[in-house]
Amino acid sequence: MAAVVLVTGGTGLVGKAIEYVIEHEPEGSRFGKRPGEKWIFAGSREADLRNSEATLKLFEKYQPTHVIHLAALVGGLFANRERKMTFLRDNMLINDNVLHTAHIKGTKKVISCLSTCVFPDKVEYPLTEEKVHLGPPHSSNFGYAHAKRMVDVQNHAYKEEFGCNFTSAIPTNVFGPHDNFDLKHAHVMPALIHKCYLSQKNNTPFKVMGDGSPLRQFIYSRDLAKLFIWQLREYDSVEPVILSVAENDEISIRELANSIVKVMNYPDKPEFENELNDNGQDRKPASNAKLMSLIGSDFKFTPFEQALGETVTWFLQNYGNARTGQSYV
Ligand code: NAP
Ligand code: GDP
């Protein structure tokens, strides 16, 4: 039977990257489209997945055999800090509707997207897949983190009670074309690209929140897309897989801001606001050992400078249509 792959959140950063890879990799190759496969990329306009009837209608319309479940209320540190209950409830509703509907419609496989925010704040590093539930997440995003963590619990319960093939992926910080470049609510990389652009345009200081010391691992959305396609086709365990660059590829927010300055040819230096309360988590280094042992060491990540360059080029070429001012109502 032909596979119908439904990508929820298909209009966002990660969804657009999967669409790009499926369209651009050679047909029939490891990450390219396979004969007989149909890919559906659904956004919130097509179905608000917080609503169970809308979710059921979406599944009845496309009859997916496989689901890559990306849809979520997503935001950076400051959005998460301001709206913990909304992040908790929206994401719990979305995840419950998608998994329940996939179960009752007999969907063969679901991969849900978590985040390294789900891990305990205080735990021995590096983060590895079996540490998800070992303690509370960082206080800045506990709403989002708990909703996402619960997906792993649901996946195990669906498997044990009903034998479902549901699993999850745990990406680190993602960036790339089609990101949300909102100044206040976005993640750090798109927010800083937008801020640097405005500083250059208006001849104003390029201001970065916090003191620049926190460390993060950044994965390019088009690399992550390949990893999702690999997981869909080649991985069949309920246990999550961390989808990340190597553990020693952490970079500081200061280094990130300096790289953005370089790529955008901004003539000045970034200025750090130095509000320590704005630093968020110091670091959350994740191991990609499980991933690399399964996918093979020949999988190559795009070099960071190249991926950042492609992202900035996309942003500059699409400034008029990009998400540059999304505010919550
Ligand atoms: P994004 O660009 O903000 O995209 C979010 C997607 O979810 C959009 O397609 C959006 O649809 C859809 N969506 C939001 N609310 C919805 C609703 N109520 N009903 C149906 N669809 C809804 O986010 P992203 O960065 O691609 O995130 C994709 C996944 O990766 C999420 O599960 C996120 O938690 C995870 N993740 C992201 C990062 C990161 O750094 N970005 C890191 C780790 C994990 P519309 O655009 O049509 O509204
Ligand atoms: P996190 O990885 O979940 O904490 O999410 P973010 O992508 O929002 O990254 C937050 C880190 O970037 C914190 O250390 C912030 O202090 C720092 N940062 C610096 N400037 C900004 C900014 O303009 N927006 C965001 N979201 N973070 C910023």
Side-chain angles (χ1 to χ4, degrees):
M1 201 178 77
V4 178
V5 186
L6 171 66
V7 181
T8 71
T11 52
L13 164 67
V14 182
K16 282 283 181 194
I18 295 179
E19 190 175 26
Y20 178 89
V21 168
I22 280 295
E23 280 173 5
H24 287 82
E25 288 289 309
E27 210 170 314
S29 66
R30 194 176 195 188
F31 307 116
K33 198 170 173 182
R34 297 270 165 90
E37 252 177 20
K38 190 172 170 195
W39 286 75
I40 312 289
F41 295 89
S44 68
R45 270 197 211 154
E46 182 150 20
D48 183 343
L49 299 172
R50 291 172 300 184
N51 179 302
S52 57
E53 283 172 27
T55 310
L56 184 60
K57 271 191 190 156
L58 183 74
F59 275 70
E60 287 186 335
K61 179 171 176 191
Y62 294 115
Q63 304 285 337
T65 56
H66 298 73
V67 174
I68 298 180
H69 171 40
L70 308 173
L73 177 61
V74 181
L77 167 65
F78 302 105
N80 270 280
R81 213 167 63 177
E82 278 169 21
R83 304 176 72 230
K84 290 183 178 134
M85 187 58 224
T86 310
F87 272 85
L88 177 67
R89 183 156 193 266
D90 280 12
N91 287 316
M92 278 175 50
L93 287 170
I94 291 172
N95 297 334
D96 186 50
N97 285 331
V98 169
L99 294 180
H100 176 69
T101 310
H103 160 53
I104 58 171
K105 300 305 280 179
T107 307
K108 285 187 188 161
K109 181 167 181 178
V110 180
I111 302 173
S112 298
C113 188
L114 312 187
S115 154
T116 46
C117 297
V118 303
F119 281 103
D121 182 32
K122 294 188 177 29
V123 71
E124 198 180 316
Y125 292 139
L127 305 174
T128 50
E129 286 81 356
E130 69 285 355
K131 293 181 184 170
V132 170
H133 302 285
L134 293 188
H138 191 260
S139 59
S140 61
N141 54 28
F142 77 77
Y144 173 82
H146 276 294
K148 290 272 180 187
R149 241 182 216 200
M150 194 50 65
V151 171
D152 178 59
V153 176
Q154 288 167 293
N155 285 344
H156 279 84
Y158 273 113
K159 182 182 170 71
E160 289 189 21
E161 186 173 347
F162 303 113
C164 297
N165 186 5
F166 293 176
T167 188
S168 61
I170 310 184
T172 48
N173 294 52
V174 190
F175 69 100
H178 299 276
D179 208 341
N180 174 7
F181 291 87
D182 180 71
L183 294 169
K184 193 153 177 258
H185 295 124
H187 288 105
V188 56
M189 166 107 60
L192 292 188
I193 289 173
H194 192 180
K195 284 181 185 177
C196 187
Y197 166 81
L198 291 179
S199 298
Q200 195 160 23
K201 190 172 155 212
N202 302 327
N203 202 17
T204 50
F206 172 32
K207 293 196 174 176
V208 180
M209 315 283 280
D211 69 356
S213 67
L215 299 169
R216 297 288 184 270
Q217 283 157 297
F218 292 95
I219 184 165
Y220 188 37
S221 57
R222 290 175 180 170
D223 293 339
L224 179 61
K226 291 180 181 168
L227 301 180
F228 268 107
I229 295 165
W230 161 78
Q231 202 177 352
L232 181 79
R233 293 175 175 159
E234 301 182 43
Y235 181 81
D236 271 319
S237 158
V238 64
E239 301 301 339
V241 188
I242 291 171
L243 304 183
S244 174
V245 296
E247 190 188 321
N248 55 9
D249 282 337
E250 280 182 301
I251 67 166
S252 70
I253 301 302
R254 181 177 295 276
E255 287 169 301
L256 171 67
N258 286 330
S259 298
I260 291 172
V261 159
K262 195 170 145 206
V263 169
M264 298 190 81
N265 295 316
Y266 177 69
D268 223 328
K269 285 187 174 162
E271 287 180 16
F272 292 87
E273 306 262 39
N274 272 317
E275 285 289 337
L276 290 186
N277 196 29
D278 286 345
N279 270 352
Q281 228 166 332
D282 285 343
R283 58 193 293 242
K284 36 185 173 176
S287 165
N288 70 357
K290 177 175 177 180
L291 167 70
M292 298 315 290
S293 75
L294 293 169
I295 198 169
S297 53
D298 56 337
F299 181 84
K300 294 284 174 272
F301 292 91
T302 309
F304 179 74
E305 298 278 331
Q306 181 190 329
L308 175 59
E310 288 177 15
T311 305
V312 167
T313 301
W314 185 92
F315 172 75
L316 296 175
Q317 286 174 351
N318 293 278
Y319 188 71
N321 306 317
R323 288 180 286 169
T324 49
Q326 184 169 295
S327 56
Y328 298 110
V329 277

